Amino acid sequence: HLTKDWPVLDLGLLPNVTRERWRLDVYGAVEQTIYWDWPQFTAQPQTQFVSDIHCVTTWSRYDNQWEGLATRDLLAVCQPREDARFVV
């Protein structure tokens, strides 16, 4: 079914991370280590695109507009090595 809003499926826990404390660290199996704070992160090239989302719980939402740092641009900066693996 089509939805116009964003269904919220969470545990109700919202971490309190201010922009002053926020950071993105990319290190390990990369050629270029990255330690960005919020201003450095938002200074990166911004990409805009539109996509549809179809959830396994039967809802769909069309024409979602996104803007931010594209994964391909992040990967171009950090240059993952052949042996790189993604770890959260």
Side-chain angles (χ1 to χ4, degrees):
H1 63 277
L2 180 63
T3 185
K4 298 284 185 186
D5 59 357
W6 284 100
V8 177
L9 306 171
D10 66 12
L11 298 175
L13 304 173
L14 183 61
N16 183 20
V17 180
T18 64
R19 288 186 178 171
E20 292 76 27
R21 289 186 53 227
W22 186 95
R23 62 180 294 119
L24 175 66
D25 296 346
V26 181
Y27 56 90
V30 293
E31 298 298 332
Q32 179 64 44
T33 301
I34 296 172
Y35 298 104
W36 286 337
D37 59 15
W38 185 253
Q40 291 168 312
F41 177 75
T42 58
Q44 302 307 307
Q46 301 294 296
T47 301
Q48 296 178 346
F49 63 97
V50 177
S51 71
D52 297 337
I53 295 178
H54 306 286
C55 183
V56 297
T57 61
T58 72
W59 60 264
S60 293
R61 190 171 189 274
Y62 303 127
D63 300 323
N64 300 285
Q65 297 182 15
W66 304 92
E67 181 176 353
L69 176 62
T71 303
R72 70 177 167 271
D73 294 331
L74 175 62
L75 295 174
V77 173
C78 68
Q79 303 172 33
R81 297 192 319 241
E82 286 291 321
D83 62 330
R85 288 190 162 64
F86 179 73
V87 178
V88 177

